[in-house]
Amino acid sequence: VFPSCWKVYDYCDLSLLWTESSPQSQSWAGGEVLAAHRLVIWTEAGQGYIYQLLNSCLSRSKHPSDRRVLKETVCPLLLCSTAVQETESFSYVMGFMNERKEPFYKILYSGDASGRITLWHIPDVPVSTLDGSPKDIPMAASWSLQDHFDAHGSVTEGVLDHLCGAGQGGRRGLGPSLYIPTLDKLVCGCEDGRIFILPALQAVKTRLLEDLSAWKDPLPHQILTGHSSSVTSLLYLHSWSARFDPSWLVSGSQDSCVIWWDMFTGEILHQFPLQAGPVTSLLLSSENCRLKGHRMVCCLCSDHSVALLHLPERACILHARKHLSPVRKLGWHPLENLLVVGCENDSISVWDIETGILERQETGEVATAVLAGCEDSPLSLADFLLQGGEQ
């Protein structure tokens, strides 16, 4: 198997029987023999293909003197391909496992840089559809480190107690937590204002020990200090856009302060005192809504206000305050540079981002139509609140 093609040779004389080129804009990465005349080949993009090698015809040998004037060739027939999720472009590692014990599953697996593992059960007798087109093999299972972290949000509780010395001054309340797969980091906000940064997988191993006090080697960690009250929200910018520096972290607190950090050095790059309610959520503006080429950080506060921060300018460019009910959705009109705030009472407020002026308020069908024509933030607010921010 080569990146640009895979080839079939006669094992007796190593003569080439067939060359199959890679799919458009993809590269082959590997393959295995499933059974006689049947192969599974996969690409660097995480896609798998199953081929049946058919005897196609007899071709003239290039060397008549070898007493084989006619030589049999093969022609691959694509039977099946794996169904994949539409995700960002990651690098994949794939492989094939043929179990030697019951139930004798044939499993194709892939792992990507985000920490996601996907499995497909390869049928014993792969077949194409009735019309001859390739048949989709559905995913048997797909699970990521982020999924596991979300399902077990208590991972950090015992670990932080151990680090903070719960027996010497009481337990520190745990606030929001953030998992960063690409850095193997676990970021935890606390009620005393501190932010702990831990090696994620090592923290999980520590948490699985029944007696954390028996952990002899101290868990390596970093502490960010700057908040004077409880940390209420966290946002790792690089996970939403590669244009942001991988070291940047944004946090919000109970006293309505937002801090922009260099999490690698622990330096506070800037503080934004919002003079509003506690910061409940941090989001990014939509991909196409930028100011001077940069996306903005959206801060949702408990007093129903929304603040837009422009990090390169180190400025709060808009603080929208006149909302009578909790904010339910944020919409963006990049061409007109407008922020549309949808509230629980089904009303909307339309704000001019550059001037900070409230242009109009709408309700009913008009409000629904305006929101429908907007671009959403990377994660809908309802889902964001349901997941507990970035936890």
Side-chain angles (χ1 to χ4, degrees), residues 135-390:
K135 188 175 184 179
D136 274 349
I137 300 176
M139 288 182 292
S142 184
W143 195 255
S144 71
L145 293 175
Q146 183 67 59
D147 295 333
H148 196 71
F149 176 72
D150 290 342
H152 301 83
S154 63
V155 167
T156 56
E157 291 178 1
V159 175
L160 286 188
D161 284 349
H162 183 61
L163 291 177
C164 296
Q168 304 174 358
R171 176 174 175 165
R172 272 60 171 182
L174 180 64
S177 50
L178 170 69
Y179 173 52
I180 309 175
T182 54
L183 299 179
D184 183 34
K185 296 295 183 184
L186 185 61
V187 184
C188 310
C190 298
E191 289 182 355
D192 62 5
R194 291 186 294 174
I195 299 174
F196 285 79
I197 302 177
L198 317 167
L201 296 182
Q202 194 170 347
V204 172
K205 293 177 183 178
T206 304
R207 182 66 180 93
L208 293 177
L209 294 179
E210 293 183 1
D211 183 9
L212 289 171
S213 62
W215 187 261
K216 297 181 180 179
D217 298 326
L219 189 65
H221 63 278
Q222 179 186 3
I223 302 176
L224 305 181
T225 56
H227 285 292
S228 58
S229 64
S230 176
V231 178
T232 55
S233 54
L234 296 167
L235 175 65
Y236 181 60
L237 301 166
H238 190 73
S239 65
W240 297 107
S241 174
R243 296 193 179 191
F244 289 105
D245 192 289
S247 67
W248 290 0
L249 177 73
V250 179
S251 61
S253 64
Q254 186 75 21
D255 61 358
S256 191
C257 179
V258 175
I259 298 182
W260 171 27
W261 305 86
D262 183 325
M263 60 184 290
F264 293 169
T265 65
E267 178 187 358
I268 296 178
L269 301 177
H270 195 72
Q271 295 191 47
F272 302 88
L274 300 183
Q275 299 179 353
V279 179
T280 57
S281 298
L282 294 169
L283 298 165
L284 270 183
S285 62
S286 67
E287 176 65 32
N288 296 319
C289 192
R290 302 171 182 269
L291 186 64
K292 298 181 180 179
H294 295 275
R295 294 169 69 179
M296 295 158 283
V297 175
C298 316
C299 310
L300 279 76
C301 302
S302 63
D303 62 353
H304 311 162
S305 66
V306 179
L308 298 186
L309 308 180
H310 194 268
L311 298 186
E313 296 281 328
R314 288 175 164 77
C316 177
I317 59 174
L318 171 66
H319 201 156
R321 298 178 181 270
K322 302 177 181 180
H323 309 123
L324 300 179
S325 65
V327 177
R328 179 178 55 85
K329 185 175 182 180
L330 297 179
W332 308 87
H333 270 292
L335 295 179
E336 300 178 24
N337 212 15
L338 298 177
L339 168 65
V340 181
V341 180
C343 298
E344 282 189 359
N345 62 0
D346 294 328
S347 68
I348 65 165
S349 299
V350 182
W351 297 83
D352 188 299
I353 294 176
E354 289 191 353
T355 65
I357 296 175
L358 175 61
E359 290 204 344
R360 68 183 191 273
Q361 291 180 311
E362 302 286 356
T363 59
E365 294 181 359
V366 176
T368 302
V370 172
L371 274 176
C374 296
E375 294 184 4
D376 292 334
S377 285
L379 189 63
S380 71
L381 186 56
D383 291 340
F384 191 88
L385 295 176
L386 183 62
Q387 294 180 14
E390 284 285 328

